[in-house]
Amino acid sequence: MKKVLYFNFDVGGGIESCGNTFLGFLKEIEDIEILEWKIQDQPPNMIDRVIDFAPDIIILNEFFERSANISFYYKKFHPTTKVIALIHSWKSLFGDWRDEKYSPELRCQMFLNMKFFETCDKIFAMNYPPKHIEMPSNVIRAYFPVDDEEYRIKKDWKDRNGMFLYLGAISPLKLSEEFINLVSKTDLSIDCYGFRFDRMPSYKEYFEKFDSCKNLKYKGLVKQSDVPDLMNDHKYFVMPHDGYEVFNIAMLQAIKCGTIPLVSNDRTTREFDYTWIDWAEGLYFGCNKIDELMTNIRTLSIEKPDHSEISFFISGESKKRFPCLDLRRTFIETMKDYINR
């Protein structure tokens, strides 16, 4: 029986949802012992526990420095151990540690990151790198595991009560301050769900603006099991990402539910053209700048067009392009290959 150590930290949101789905895939495999690691600890304690467990396979759900560094060094001393990384953004695979614009401390960490990625046996790059970006040979172009039966159209377009939905972390990296300022000048109403990062001192002014914007209706956290119904109760999914998070799990959940994403698609501010979502072409309404996104939202709010055909199209097409069963099959085949060696 092979031992599988699964770093699946309890961090909430899309990372945890994705990690739990892969845990379900793991549990389908026979003849393995799974140790799921949920809470980060001090590195010496983590190292001792890894050594005691002596894993044959290590899986990391997303790149976290402690688990990555421990996995890297463990594999150095136990080279037969296989390491699989589920990376939620292909951008983390890039970055030159020699660039002097970074601090010495960050450059050191970036060097370790690079070495970790080089020694991984497989990397599932989950939000599918654009076709023009050359990937290392150990990278599998993948997508988020969004179940096609759970995430589907349950409510017709005309029966959806809500118009605009934002689902994700409430932070300036994902819900930009510029977007808040623009929404404040309108009479729009956008339902917002997600974890608030308001304990960070540097975000104080940001949350003062967010809380004073009556058009952004903050409704707290939502259980993952309730997300399909939440998506089905709204017509549009608002994504003012500004290039930080190109194609996240919530966007794929929305598409499969027939909830049309409205995406600011700024290609001018990112080194690797992060926002070229070529693999999702035709499945979202995109624009170049956040002010253009606001114009689109206001127009949709006033005109209220019937987009039922588009809703059905993106739902059906997303299931053809990104079937959860295919991702499950690829992951399980990779695991069985390592188990049977």
Side-chain angles (χ1 to χ4, degrees), residues 44-208:
N45 295 336
M46 295 177 73
I47 292 170
D48 287 344
R49 194 176 176 196
V50 172
I51 292 172
D52 289 342
F53 185 63
D56 299 291
I57 301 172
I58 299 175
I59 303 173
L60 299 91
N61 177 36
E62 185 56 311
F63 181 87
F64 292 101
E65 291 177 1
R66 291 181 191 176
S67 53
N69 290 346
I70 287 169
S71 302
F72 168 75
Y73 286 113
Y74 186 84
K75 187 175 176 65
K76 281 291 184 184
F77 289 97
H78 301 83
T80 59
T81 299
K82 301 298 182 182
V83 177
I84 299 173
L86 312 174
I87 302 301
H88 289 236
S89 173
W90 59 268
K91 292 181 290 183
S92 61
L93 297 170
F94 295 89
D96 188 353
W97 65 274
R98 293 161 294 196
D99 195 328
E100 294 185 356
K101 72 181 179 182
Y102 302 115
S103 69
E105 294 80 8
L106 182 56
R107 289 170 63 188
C108 181
Q109 185 59 54
M110 291 172 69
F111 176 78
L112 291 174
N113 296 355
M114 179 191 70
K115 289 298 182 182
F116 167 73
F117 287 130
E118 287 178 354
T119 56
C120 283
D121 295 276
K122 288 295 179 185
I123 298 172
F124 285 75
M126 305 279 276
N127 67 349
Y128 211 98
K131 295 173 184 175
H132 71 295
I133 300 293
E134 185 176 351
M135 289 285 105
S137 60
N138 60 342
V139 172
I140 296 175
R141 279 180 159 87
Y143 42 86
F144 294 106
V146 176
D147 185 83
D148 294 320
E149 291 300 318
E150 187 177 359
Y151 289 87
R152 57 185 173 82
I153 293 179
K154 299 179 181 180
K155 188 180 287 189
D156 289 341
W157 181 266
K158 66 181 186 314
D159 298 325
R160 300 187 177 204
N161 299 316
M163 279 288 286
F164 304 108
L165 167 69
Y166 173 83
L167 174 61
I170 311 297
S171 78
L173 292 173
K174 297 189 178 184
L175 187 67
S176 73
E177 191 170 338
E178 179 186 359
F179 184 73
I180 294 174
N181 291 336
L182 291 171
V183 172
S184 299
K185 299 173 183 177
T186 71
D187 56 358
L188 294 167
S189 178
I190 300 175
D191 295 334
C192 298
Y193 293 82
F195 180 80
R196 290 172 55 116
F197 284 83
D198 49 2
R199 292 186 179 181
M200 299 185 67
S202 60
Y203 288 177
K204 181 182 178 184
E205 291 185 6
Y206 168 83
F207 276 101
E208 287 175 352

Side-chain angles (χ1 to χ4, degrees), residues 115-325:
K115 289 298 182 182
F116 167 73
F117 287 130
E118 287 178 354
T119 56
C120 283
D121 295 276
K122 288 295 179 185
I123 298 172
F124 285 75
M126 305 279 276
N127 67 349
Y128 211 98
K131 295 173 184 175
H132 71 295
I133 300 293
E134 185 176 351
M135 289 285 105
S137 60
N138 60 342
V139 172
I140 296 175
R141 279 180 159 87
Y143 42 86
F144 294 106
V146 176
D147 185 83
D148 294 320
E149 291 300 318
E150 187 177 359
Y151 289 87
R152 57 185 173 82
I153 293 179
K154 299 179 181 180
K155 188 180 287 189
D156 289 341
W157 181 266
K158 66 181 186 314
D159 298 325
R160 300 187 177 204
N161 299 316
M163 279 288 286
F164 304 108
L165 167 69
Y166 173 83
L167 174 61
I170 311 297
S171 78
L173 292 173
K174 297 189 178 184
L175 187 67
S176 73
E177 191 170 338
E178 179 186 359
F179 184 73
I180 294 174
N181 291 336
L182 291 171
V183 172
S184 299
K185 299 173 183 177
T186 71
D187 56 358
L188 294 167
S189 178
I190 300 175
D191 295 334
C192 298
Y193 293 82
F195 180 80
R196 290 172 55 116
F197 284 83
D198 49 2
R199 292 186 179 181
M200 299 185 67
S202 60
Y203 288 177
K204 181 182 178 184
E205 291 185 6
Y206 168 83
F207 276 101
E208 287 175 352
K209 286 189 176 181
F210 177 82
D211 291 331
S212 65
C213 181
K214 305 304 180 185
N215 304 38
L216 296 174
K217 313 292 185 183
Y218 181 64
K219 302 194 174 184
L221 299 174
V222 58
K223 294 190 298 183
Q224 199 61 41
S225 59
D226 293 336
V227 172
D229 288 338
L230 180 66
M231 291 292 186
N232 270 274
D233 206 37
H234 289 81
K235 295 181 176 180
Y236 301 100
F237 177 71
V238 179
M239 197 172 170
H241 63 65
D242 195 27
Y244 174 75
E245 196 167 37
V246 185
F247 195 103
N248 61 20
I249 190 170
M251 186 172 171
L252 187 50
Q253 290 168 339
I255 291 171
K256 288 197 173 184
C257 291
T259 306
I260 301 172
L262 307 174
V263 182
S264 61
N265 196 24
D266 188 349
R267 301 181 182 179
T268 64
T269 59
R270 296 296 185 267
E271 182 180 356
F272 291 108
D273 193 15
Y274 291 162
T275 51
W276 181 15
I277 316 174
D278 53 2
W279 62 288
E281 184 179 358
L283 302 185
Y284 65 97
F285 290 177
C287 59
N288 193 43
K289 298 287 187 181
I290 286 183
D291 58 346
E292 295 174 8
L293 172 66
M294 277 304 311
T295 299
N296 287 354
I297 293 174
R298 294 186 73 168
T299 300
L300 292 169
S301 178
I302 295 169
E303 297 181 357
K304 295 182 173 57
D306 181 1
H307 281 152
S308 54
E309 289 189 11
I310 296 174
S311 174
F312 276 105
F313 169 77
I314 65 174
S315 177
E317 187 66 19
S318 65
K319 291 172 183 177
K320 294 177 186 176
R321 296 191 203 180
F322 325 119
C324 190
L325 285 176

